[in-house]
Amino acid sequence: MNQNTTPQYYIWTIGCQMNKAESERLGSLLEQKGYRPSASADTADIIVLNSCVVRQHAEDRVINKLHNLAPLKKARPELTLAVTGCFIDSSLEQLKRAFPHVDYFFQAGDIPDWLVLRKDERFIPNEVERPSDAGWCQALPQSPPSSVYVPVIHGCDQFCSYCIVPYRRGRERSRPLDEITAEVAELARRGAKEVILLGQNVDAYGHDLPEKHDLADLLAALNRIDGLARIRFLTSHPRDMTAKLIDAVARLEKVCEQINLPVQSGSDEILGVMRRGYSIEHYRQLIVEIRRKIPGIALSTDIIVGFPGESERHFRQTVDLLAEMRFDMVHVAAYSPRPGTIAARELEDDVPAGEKKRRLNIIEELQAEIAGDINARFVGQTVEVLVDGKEKGKWRGRTRGDKLVFFSDRSNCPDMPGLVDIRIEKASPWSLQGKVESRLIGTE
Ligand code: SAH
Ligand code: SF4
């Protein structure tokens, strides 16, 4: 039980960057309402579960957690329990019956009435407020981390056959360009050095806005913001990635040389059944163009193994594509049927679990070898690192290409060093290690 006078909150987040972004902002709203973060759920006055159901495994974790919280609520009925994220579907009554100890359920991306700030509670200047996303604009962190997520387009219109996200997050809704620009300028003023623009399909940004701005226009506007050093965006869709966007990444100095472009499978047949809307040849051409126009670009992708009907031949096409493309990073997942999706309704989940695991391991081993080779080339080089925290006594940060870097600061300064030049001494498939070469001043 919380013995302090200041009420405390605890947010448990699983899932994608969008969930992390929304949790950061929910936390900020709670802080503006007078709460402070609690080190554990046991001492919190309010607990928010920000959930994910993209695969069955994630959903199981959410359900377990919800059951585990029941005794806590029983012991402390005054505790407020709220659940948000993609676990929340349209059948709220059913959820309330299944989890009667939960006080509030609210949909991913919504701000419930009890979290909306009164005028006297806000520490956000009015100029950042615009009608489209007023609640979220108010939710900017007062002291942002060095790297901040900024949702720019909510929802997804793609309806890939396996994916539950469009059913839980609704249709695409872009935030106005001037609203995002004002918000990022405010974040930079408060000390943020990097923004990561988020969307399930971020390349679709702007198609629904009256001015028809696109992501390249948004990047150009943000590139002009003083104090901001880096801009990233994710997740791109191979069908919507345009030459204009690639040119913008090549041209704008603050936009990092890094693109996440999920391919999902190396087989045209499987891509068709997944309803991804592109062919491997289109994807290959895109990668060739990106690499030609943006030297040093770091590329990552997502893969699903064991999709319905994926034979050994289809799987080998995926392995061959990965060996050919040599991505910096590959996120691989075993197919998991999701209720309500086209694949779950129409296709038999016919690859056995053991076989999915075998395919997943093959890809992970191949990728560890490729990433090990790529990262080894950094040894002896000096890279610019944006520090985002400390881990096991070492500073931790990322390069412009999103490589994780660890280093010890010789001066052992307690403050976050910001941007630093690090000379890389060691590399593994997952991270780089080095020593400080010089401290950079400002954003140059
Ligand atoms: N919008 C992004 C990703 C959103 S979901 C895209 O277009 O790729 C994040 C990742 O989860 C996906 O890239 C996919 O690899 C994985 N995923 C989504 N649904 C899945 C499912 N039913 N089974 C297994 N993996 C899934
Ligand atoms: Fe899901 Fe496809 Fe939308 Fe990505 S693009 S969120 S995989 S439906």
Side-chain angles (χ1 to χ4, degrees), residues 158-162 237 239 269-278 307 342-343 345-346:
Q158 294 291 319
F159 287 94
C160 301
S161 64
Y162 51 83
H237 195 293
R239 214 186 62 178
E269 280 166 62
I270 298 294
L271 286 180
V273 196
M274 285 178 165
R275 302 194 182 204
R276 289 288 291 176
Y278 53 84
F307 189 78
I342 302 162
R345 283 201 307 272
E346 296 179 1

Side-chain angles (χ1 to χ4, degrees), residues 120-131:
D120 58 311
E121 289 174 323
R122 299 175 193 168
F123 54 56
I124 308 299
N126 279 333
E127 69 266 22
V128 211
E129 284 181 31
R130 295 290 188 285

Side-chain angles (χ1 to χ4, degrees), residues 105-121:
F105 292 98
F106 58 98
Q107 259 161 356
D110 279 359
I111 298 180
D113 292 345
W114 50 273
L115 263 180
V116 172
L117 299 180
R118 295 188 314 267
K119 267 220 148 35
D120 58 311
E121 289 174 323

Side-chain angles (χ1 to χ4, degrees), residues 96-247:
K96 283 182 189 156
R97 270 199 304 278
F99 305 100
H101 58 291
V102 173
D103 300 284
Y104 302 105
F105 292 98
F106 58 98
Q107 259 161 356
D110 279 359
I111 298 180
D113 292 345
W114 50 273
L115 263 180
V116 172
L117 299 180
R118 295 188 314 267
K119 267 220 148 35
D120 58 311
E121 289 174 323
R122 299 175 193 168
F123 54 56
I124 308 299
N126 279 333
E127 69 266 22
V128 211
E129 284 181 31
R130 295 290 188 285
S132 107
D133 230 1
W136 288 116
C137 289
Q138 291 168 18
L140 296 193
Q142 189 159 35
S143 321
S146 55
S147 174
V148 196
Y149 293 120
V150 176
V152 300
I153 173 168
H154 301 285
C156 184
D157 288 353
Q158 294 291 319
F159 287 94
C160 301
S161 64
Y162 51 83
C163 184
I164 197 167
V165 171
Y167 300 90
R168 299 295 165 95
R169 286 189 170 271
R171 298 299 75 75
E172 286 167 1
R173 288 145 355 253
S174 301
R175 300 177 57 196
L177 184 139
D178 63 344
E179 173 181 301
I180 300 168
T181 312
E183 184 174 302
V184 173
E186 180 60 25
L187 284 166
R189 201 186 59 76
R190 293 181 192 186
K193 287 275 170 278
E194 173 180 282
V195 286
I196 307 178
L197 311 180
L198 296 181
Q200 303 300 337
N201 173 8
V202 76
D203 297 355
Y205 173 77
H207 72 89
D208 54 330
L209 293 174
E211 305 87 351
K212 300 273 176 241
H213 293 305
D214 60 21
L215 185 60
D217 300 330
L218 178 62
L219 293 174
L222 299 182
N223 196 64
R224 290 192 284 270
I225 292 177
D226 286 341
L228 189 69
R230 292 177 173 184
I231 306 165
R232 304 182 192 277
F233 58 91
L234 51 94
T235 301
S236 289
H237 195 293
R239 214 186 62 178
D240 292 335
M241 171 145 274
T242 59
K244 182 180 171 192
L245 178 59
I246 299 170
D247 290 341

Side-chain angles (χ1 to χ4, degrees), residues 77-89:
E78 72 284 5
L79 167 73
T80 303
L81 262 185
V83 184
T84 184
C86 291
F87 184 65
I88 314 301
D89 55 16

